[in-house]
Amino acid sequence: MEIETSIEAAFNEAASLVESSASNNKGTHLDDKLMLQLYGLYKVATVGECKDQQPTLYSGIFNMKARWKWSAWKEFSSLSKHDAMVKYIEVVKESFGWEPNSNHHAQQRPPSSSNVFMMGNSVSSFAIPSPEEDVDEESDPVFAWAKDGDLIKLRGWLENNVSKINSIADSNGLKPLHWASDRGHLSTCQLLLKFGANPHVVDNDGMTPLEYAETCDHAEIVALLRGNTL
């Protein structure tokens, strides 16, 4: 079926354009909402209906990002694979000012699904890194101590490295206060604030410790941080 082959080839070309834009830092004009829309359509077009269970809310910021991507996939699950491909092509045309190659008789190699929507800083913020990969515990044990709520080791580190409290960050820009807020360690947050942790610091996605605490529904930490951001 030449028409179906043409649609699939155009879809692969469009997905490759999105992947290329992300890897070459050309996608900064695309906002998060649009990238999630493209993600949802891509998943339906390549996998089909979303049958995965919704990620839980209370496992931290990384699961929050997983929920956003799950919701985007679920939103378009009523579409057939064909209709999702057509819609995806339309969105890419409108967003990139792109037109598919007229010669689609040769099937193009589809882009890697793991790369098309990594959505790092150049395009968006919805990559879902593993927390264990984010924290280099050997070189920066302070992140592990903040993550685990180890007050004794953290206090010892703070007493000798207090000047670093607002500058040290992991690969995603998370400061110790981000980790403590994400994991719900109230006493750890209090200790960090006592030593001068700035509640206004942001990670690579522009999120503050307060936003982490709000996302994870850590009410006491939300109240603490709000009191320190007035």
Side-chain angles (χ1 to χ4, degrees):
M1 297 177 63
E2 184 173 330
I3 294 179
E4 291 297 320
T5 301
S6 178
I7 290 295
E8 185 173 355
F11 167 76
N12 289 335
E13 184 184 341
S16 293
L17 175 63
V18 174
E19 178 180 22
S20 175
S21 296
S23 62
N24 291 310
N25 296 325
K26 297 178 180 179
T28 53
H29 64 291
L30 298 177
D31 61 21
D32 291 340
K33 182 178 180 181
L34 177 57
M35 289 305 292
L36 281 173
Q37 180 184 21
L38 287 171
Y39 173 83
L41 289 168
Y42 183 89
K43 290 292 286 186
V44 173
T46 56
V47 178
E49 178 186 359
C50 176
K51 297 181 180 180
D52 292 353
Q53 186 175 5
Q54 184 179 28
T56 58
L57 178 61
Y58 301 107
S59 297
I61 194 69
F62 302 98
N63 257 38
M64 181 191 74
K65 295 175 182 180
R67 284 171 65 90
W68 288 339
K69 295 175 78 173
W70 179 90
S71 295
W73 184 6
K74 195 73 173 179
E75 179 181 354
F76 296 104
S77 286
S78 61
L79 298 178
S80 66
K81 287 187 176 183
H82 174 273
D83 289 345
M85 284 187 184
V86 172
K87 178 66 174 176
Y88 184 98
I89 293 168
E90 292 175 352
V91 172
V92 175
K93 280 183 176 181
E94 181 178 351
S95 301
F96 285 85
W98 163 83
E99 288 294 333
N101 189 331
S102 59
N103 181 15
H104 284 306
H105 295 290
Q107 182 71 21
Q108 297 186 19
R109 180 177 180 269
S112 167
S113 60
S114 62
N115 293 330
V116 172
F117 288 100
M118 279 303 294
M119 303 169 75
N121 294 335
S122 63
V123 178
S124 183
S125 59
F126 294 100
I128 309 178
S130 165
E132 286 69 29
E133 292 175 354
D134 288 341
V135 182
D136 184 346
E137 296 184 5
E138 293 185 4
S139 61
D140 295 313
V142 64
F143 298 119
W145 298 333
K147 179 180 69 173
D148 296 335
D150 191 328
L151 294 176
I152 295 177
K153 292 181 179 178
L154 184 59
R155 179 182 290 275
W157 184 92
L158 289 168
E159 290 174 347
N160 294 290
N161 299 277
V162 66
S163 63
K164 299 179 181 179
I165 187 60
N166 294 311
S167 60
I168 192 169
D170 66 16
S171 60
N172 286 295
L174 277 73
K175 314 299 191 293
L177 188 57
H178 282 104
W179 276 107
S181 300
D182 178 67
R183 294 305 170 92
H185 298 312
L186 177 62
S187 296
T188 306
C189 290
Q190 291 171 331
L191 178 65
L192 289 166
L193 290 170
K194 180 180 178 180
F195 276 84
N198 183 357
H200 298 284
V201 292
V202 296
D203 64 7
N204 291 347
D205 296 333
M207 294 187 68
T208 66
L210 174 59
E211 290 174 301
Y212 276 53
E214 289 176 333
T215 298
C216 300
D217 200 27
H218 299 315
E220 290 183 313
I221 295 177
V222 169
L224 173 68
L225 295 177
R226 283 180 177 171
N228 280 270
T229 55
L230 297 178

